[in-house]
Amino acid sequence: MKRALVFIVAYKAESTILSVLQRIPQDIPNVSFEVLIIDDASDDATYELGKEAARGQKLPFPITVLKNPENQQYGGNQKIGFLYAIEKGFDIVVLLHGDGQYAPEAIPELIQPLIAGEADAVFGSRMISRWGALRGGMPLYKYIANKILTAFENAMLRTHFSEFHSGYRLYTIEALKRIPFELNTNAFHFDTEIIIQLVFAGLRIQEIPIPTYYGSEICRVNGIKYGLDVIRATTAARLQKYQLLYRRNFDVEWAAEAEPNVHYASKLNYPSSHLLALNAVPEKTRVMDIGCGPGAFQEALRKKGCRVVGVDQYPAPESSLFEKMIVTDLDQNPIPESLEKIDVVLMLDVIEHLKSPETFFRKLHEAAQSNLSVKLVLTTGNVAFILIRLMLLLGQFNYGKRGILDLTHTRLFTFGSLRRLLQQYGFEIVQERGIPVPYPEALGEGSFSRLLLLLNQWGIRLSKGLFSYQIYVEFRANANLEALLEKTLQANVGPWRN
């Protein structure tokens, strides 16, 4: 039998709270349930009436009544109640409003998909039944606003919900544990942000029609502010999918940071850093791949007959792809093996993660003195990319899960700054190219992605610094001063002449 908590959020609900309690069904099949009322620091008798109902023992279910010492707002009140449900070991939480706007009588029907394991969340929708909301007393302007906002949110989130703005919701506790709801806003658009989290987490949401009731309750929502907040939150969520900004509360995969290499994927089906690097590696050569990740690129190298020495701070799960796998701290020991027998060194999207690229290139230059013919290849993000410039113009510098402003990046480069860094540490640039945005990765492979890639490549021809998403460089090490002196001395062995 499932344990359910009927959680009533209440604020200045003295005229309705007893009616809501009395309307809760006394028997729900396959469920034992309790009621929690959290009064959000009301200055009326909501709390006292709730306590009186709990003491009176006239209702057949246990009632707990709490009062926030300070007003937490609608979203903040929900956070407290959800944490209570988690800590008390409930299986399901039913969210009701203390103003009576949502019918408690619908609980048995709404809870069934959760009991049956068919959904992770259930929303009571007033908009499934055509015109039902209007017949139930929803003002026309609210009906129209609901429809417009819901259409916008569906378009942004690639969903098909009939309504985003019902406050009648049921969640499994396991679903709440999967999302960082505690990081959401305390304001009324908490309900929108928790839907975004559920969708991003891939959790199952089911909608069930409910009756609409608008009575004498006072609406405490500033409709214009609420609408703008919803638009901002949903737009931010979509932009986060495109790696253009980052909001921690929408990062439902944050726990995956325990496996930091899972994001490293091969990109060989379109013009990309990986394709350029692969073409730069001659067949049947020995390659050192610094920052190799889990080995997504190595299969392509192996098909070219290459032997690969992998270097990374984490072991690769497919170690069989490597001739040798070296696990080391790239900040402390970036070149852990001699380059004497290495033909190509790959550094794909590595230097931006290092604490000191200067130290890295100093050590690389020293190691390359044993083999000045070794080909060096690196890629990194171009922080002067046009979208980054536009965001700066708007006062934005938004880090994200991936892309140029990846949260794990410690240093950022332009073509000019990277060129100067390499030259200062004794390297000669052989080839320098711009790489377009990986549109197929963000939008999927198709004609639209190919068109955007083509346009981006044309833009790079016009201005490499402005339109390149990444920087690709092939370079080689020049002989150091000691080697040059030794070469000079050897060339002048013989009798001295005036």
Side-chain angles (χ1 to χ4, degrees):
M1 181 174 286
K2 299 288 187 181
R3 291 184 66 226
L5 178 70
V6 178
F7 167 36
I8 301 174
V9 288
Y11 181 68
K12 295 186 178 181
E14 63 180 3
S15 63
T16 54
I17 190 66
L18 293 180
S19 172
V20 170
L21 288 171
Q22 291 164 359
R23 292 168 59 195
I24 294 174
Q26 298 186 8
D27 183 29
I28 302 175
N30 302 314
V31 176
S32 66
F33 69 95
E34 301 178 18
V35 172
L36 169 68
I37 301 170
I38 301 185
D39 173 22
D40 198 19
S42 302
D43 57 6
D44 65 0
T46 300
Y47 176 72
E48 288 73 17
L49 289 170
K51 293 292 286 185
E52 182 180 327
R55 286 193 300 266
Q57 298 183 346
K58 294 180 180 180
L59 296 171
F61 40 76
I63 303 174
T64 300
V65 185
L66 304 175
K67 183 172 184 176
N68 294 328
E70 297 178 1
N71 185 272
Q72 300 298 313
Q73 303 183 66
Y74 174 67
N77 205 10
Q78 286 193 57
K79 295 177 190 179
I80 295 170
F82 292 160
L83 181 59
Y84 178 95
I86 292 170
E87 292 192 344
K88 296 297 182 181
F90 287 93
D91 301 303
I92 297 168
V93 60
V94 180
L95 179 66
L96 267 182
H97 288 202
D99 61 8
Q101 185 178 147
Y102 299 104
E105 295 85 355
I107 292 175
E109 181 182 3
L110 295 174
I111 205 171
Q112 285 307 311
L114 302 183
I115 296 172
E118 298 170 352
D120 302 298
V122 172
F123 298 165
S125 173
R126 302 163 294 182
M127 310 298 279
I128 292 178
S129 175
R130 191 176 185 183
W131 315 121
L134 290 174
R135 286 194 294 269
M138 180 182 286
L140 180 61
Y141 75 92
K142 287 192 175 184
Y143 181 86
I144 294 172
N146 192 319
K147 284 287 190 180
I148 292 173
L149 284 176
T150 293
F152 173 79
E153 290 166 286
N154 276 325
M156 283 291 188
L157 299 177
R158 311 294 192 261
T159 53
H160 301 89
F161 296 121
S162 66
E163 178 180 14
F164 275 77
H165 309 289
S166 167
Y168 206 164
R169 302 174 176 215
L170 298 83
Y171 307 99
T172 64
I173 297 304
E174 289 305 312
L176 291 177
K177 289 179 179 178
R178 288 269 306 276
I179 58 176
F181 66 85
E182 70 280 2
L183 300 181
N184 289 346
T185 179
N186 282 2
F188 285 101
H189 63 292
F190 174 93
D191 282 351
T192 289
E193 293 189 343
I194 201 170
I195 291 177
I196 293 169
Q197 291 174 327
L198 293 168
V199 170
F200 281 8
L203 296 170
R204 300 165 299 167
I205 302 173
Q206 190 173 131
E207 289 185 291
I208 293 177
I210 57 170
T212 303
Y213 170 76
Y214 272 80
S216 59
E217 69 277 355
I218 299 173
C219 179
R220 306 185 189 280
V221 183
N222 180 326
I224 295 176
K225 181 181 184 304
Y226 172 75
L228 291 174
D229 286 340
V230 166
I231 290 170
R232 279 193 288 264
T234 312
T235 302
R238 175 46 49 190
L239 292 176
Q240 182 150 324
K241 281 293 186 181
Y242 293 142
Q243 316 303 329
L244 294 176
L245 57 74
Y246 178 79
R247 286 194 180 179
R248 169 67 183 88
N249 62 320
F250 296 150
D251 183 5
V252 297
E253 298 174 348
W254 181 71
E257 288 182 358
E259 301 178 68
N261 277 3
V262 294
H263 68 281
Y264 190 105
S266 181
K267 298 172 285 189
L268 294 172
N269 299 325
Y270 54 90
S272 67
S273 57
H274 284 181
L275 187 60
L276 286 177
L278 182 65
N279 292 337
V281 177
E283 292 185 354
K284 299 180 180 179
T285 50
R286 195 159 185 257
V287 179
M288 177 180 287
D289 189 353
I290 298 175
C292 61
F297 189 58
Q298 278 60 51
E299 182 62 36
L301 291 173
R302 192 165 68 170
K303 288 179 180 178
K304 296 186 75 168
C306 298
R307 294 169 295 148
V308 183
V309 176
V311 180
D312 203 279
Q313 59 182 325
Y314 303 102
E318 294 293 333
S319 58
S320 61
L321 295 173
F322 299 92
E323 177 186 73
K324 184 177 184 180
M325 180 70 207
I326 302 173
V327 179
T328 183
D329 184 342
L330 295 175
D331 280 315
Q332 299 298 323
N333 190 28
I335 318 295
E337 185 167 286
S338 170
L339 301 184
E340 189 173 356
K341 297 180 180 180
I342 299 294
D343 300 299
V344 182
V345 176
L346 298 177
M347 297 153 279
L348 308 184
D349 303 327
V350 170
I351 62 169
E352 61 266 33
H353 296 273
L354 301 176
K355 294 178 181 177
S356 175
E358 292 82 3
T359 301
F360 174 86
F361 286 120
R362 177 174 57 80
K363 292 183 177 180
L364 177 62
H365 190 263
E366 291 172 359
Q369 296 307 303
S370 63
N371 179 14
L372 290 176
S373 64
V374 65
K375 178 187 282 191
L376 306 171
V377 178
L378 84 80
T379 63
T380 189
N382 172 29
V383 75
F385 179 55
I386 185 170
L387 285 183
I388 306 298
R389 297 192 193 195
L390 290 174
M391 285 196 293
L392 282 170
L393 186 64
L394 297 172
Q396 300 293 315
F397 199 70
N398 301 308
Y399 279 86
K401 284 296 290 295
R402 301 182 68 179
I404 298 169
L405 299 183
D406 187 311
L407 284 166
T408 63
H409 291 177
T410 60
R411 296 288 289 276
L412 301 169
F413 297 92
T414 65
F415 278 90
S417 65
L418 179 59
R419 191 183 306 122
R420 286 190 295 273
L421 180 63
L422 292 174
Q423 291 169 346
Q424 287 168 4
Y425 281 88
F427 295 99
E428 178 184 345
I429 293 174
V430 177
Q431 183 182 174
E432 184 183 77
R433 295 182 62 177
I435 302 170
V437 178
Y439 290 109
E441 191 173 350
L443 304 175
E445 295 192 29
S447 56
F448 185 57
S449 292
R450 289 193 293 272
L451 174 61
L452 291 176
L453 280 171
L454 183 61
L455 293 173
N456 199 164
Q457 288 173 301
W458 286 346
I460 290 171
R461 293 191 187 102
L462 293 173
S463 175
K464 187 169 55 179
L466 188 61
F467 293 107
S468 296
Y469 182 75
Q470 284 181 291
I471 302 167
Y472 173 89
V473 179
E474 291 180 22
F475 59 109
R476 61 174 173 241
N478 294 320
N480 61 21
L481 196 57
E482 290 80 4
L484 291 173
L485 175 60
E486 180 64 25
K487 189 175 181 179
T488 299
L489 291 174
Q490 290 178 357
N492 287 274
V493 172
W496 292 99
R497 295 178 182 176
N498 290 330

